[in-house]
Amino acid sequence: TQLLEQSPQFLSIQEGENLTVYCNSSSVFSSLQWYRQEPGEGPVLLVTVVTGGEVKKLKRLTFQFGDARKDSSLHITAAQPGDTGLYLCAGTILSNDYKLSFGAGTTVTVRA
Amino acid sequence: DTGVSQNPRHKITKRGQNVTFRCDPISEHNRLYWYRQTLGQGPEFLTYFQNEAQLEKSRLLSDRFSAERPKGSFSTLEIQRTEQGDSAMYLCASSLEGGQTGGRGKQFFGPGTRLTVL
């Protein structure tokens, strides 16, 4: 059983559209990370959020950490083909702050 | 390039053979982690080191698996008597704990070693 549930599992959109990926849990996290992974490569860290209600922006990407620190979302505005990839959320809990627990990922495909 | 590096990138072996993977973390990072990722899943934690000390091993890490970080720098992961179920991507990550910019989950991953057991 995975600690973090991601939805949707797959997302295919046209270039220029917006998308949102969700990451939910019944557990409280001390930190939450979003990674993007290309086929055959390791995950690349996009952002870390640690405070409930925190919002971070990275160009066209907006990340939000839920007030209760149990959920997070990733919103991409005006998606481009270069945004295609597997998006993974991962969190740490206070008692195990060294261990990242990952969701299963959301595969995003942006069509030109 | 000063990121995490892993070697080899790909390994194909026959069932029953031993394999060893190497990970070189970001030089100033004191923590090093090993994860395993199978198709369609997120990475799963295997073990981690704080400097040269191995502080936790997951239940996923059977007796056939051993990891070392002898001088607190690079690490090796050895799998003895490989089985087909060991086929996966093995990922290494590192982080700086206690520093101003590190900690609290900010782990940086290498490109991984893809293991195929025939």
Side-chain angles (χ1 to χ4, degrees):
Chain A
T1 304
Q2 287 188 295
L3 214 53
L4 285 164
E5 297 292 330
Q6 284 190 242
S7 61
Q9 188 177 357
F10 299 97
L11 194 55
S12 180
I13 60 171
Q14 200 71 32
E15 182 176 5
E17 294 181 339
N18 302 333
L19 69 96
T20 302
V21 177
Y22 299 93
C23 179
N24 295 289
S25 177
S26 57
S27 299
V28 176
F29 290 92
S30 56
S31 74
L32 197 131
Q33 282 65 237
W34 285 94
Y35 289 85
R36 186 170 77 194
Q37 187 175 26
E38 308 265 342
E41 299 293 329
V44 175
L45 181 64
L46 298 174
V47 77
T48 298
V49 287
V50 298
T51 304
E54 184 174 2
V55 177
K56 282 193 174 179
K57 291 191 175 182
L58 185 67
K59 297 184 181 178
R60 295 176 292 100
L61 278 61
T62 302
F63 306 86
Q64 186 160 6
F65 201 13
D67 291 341
R69 293 184 288 137
K70 293 183 178 181
D71 57 270
S72 181
S73 64
L74 157 60
H75 182 78
I76 302 179
T77 303
Q80 299 176 359
D83 296 325
T84 293
L86 177 67
Y87 288 83
L88 294 158
C89 66
T92 58
I93 57 176
L94 276 175
S95 59
N96 292 300
D97 71 343
Y98 53 85
K99 182 190 304 186
L100 283 176
S101 296
F102 280 84
T106 295
T107 299
V108 172
T109 303
V110 182
R111 305 184 304 275
Chain B
D1 183 66
T2 57
V4 178
S5 62
Q6 291 187 246
N7 288 288
R9 292 294 311 276
H10 303 274
K11 179 71 177 178
I12 300 174
T13 190
K14 293 182 179 179
R15 188 178 52 180
Q17 297 294 305
N18 300 340
V19 294
T20 300
F21 310 141
R22 176 178 170 127
C23 170
D24 288 88
I26 294 171
S27 58
E28 66 268 25
H29 283 185
N30 50 9
R31 281 192 179 175
L32 185 148
Y33 312 80
W34 285 98
Y35 291 82
R36 182 171 69 187
Q37 185 177 25
T38 54
L39 202 61
Q41 298 296 320
E44 295 175 292
F45 172 83
L46 293 178
T47 187
Y48 92 104
F49 294 82
Q50 173 95 14
N51 300 312
E52 67 275 8
Q54 187 175 17
L55 297 185
E56 174 150 336
K57 296 195 294 186
S58 161
R59 287 173 298 171
L60 294 174
L61 217 61
S62 76
D63 291 344
R64 297 183 297 106
F65 289 71
S66 62
E68 294 183 343
R69 194 184 183 197
K71 296 182 180 179
S73 57
F74 74 91
S75 175
T76 58
L77 177 67
E78 181 183 15
I79 309 175
Q80 296 182 327
R81 306 180 304 281
T82 52
E83 301 173 356
Q84 288 183 326
D86 296 331
S87 295
M89 173 79 92
Y90 289 85
L91 293 162
C92 175
S94 69
S95 71
L96 176 63
E97 299 302 317
Q100 289 184 344
T101 58
R104 304 195 72 178
K106 196 173 287 188
Q107 298 180 19
F108 297 89
F109 283 80
T113 295
R114 168 73 65 188
L115 172 67
T116 302
V117 181
L118 302 176

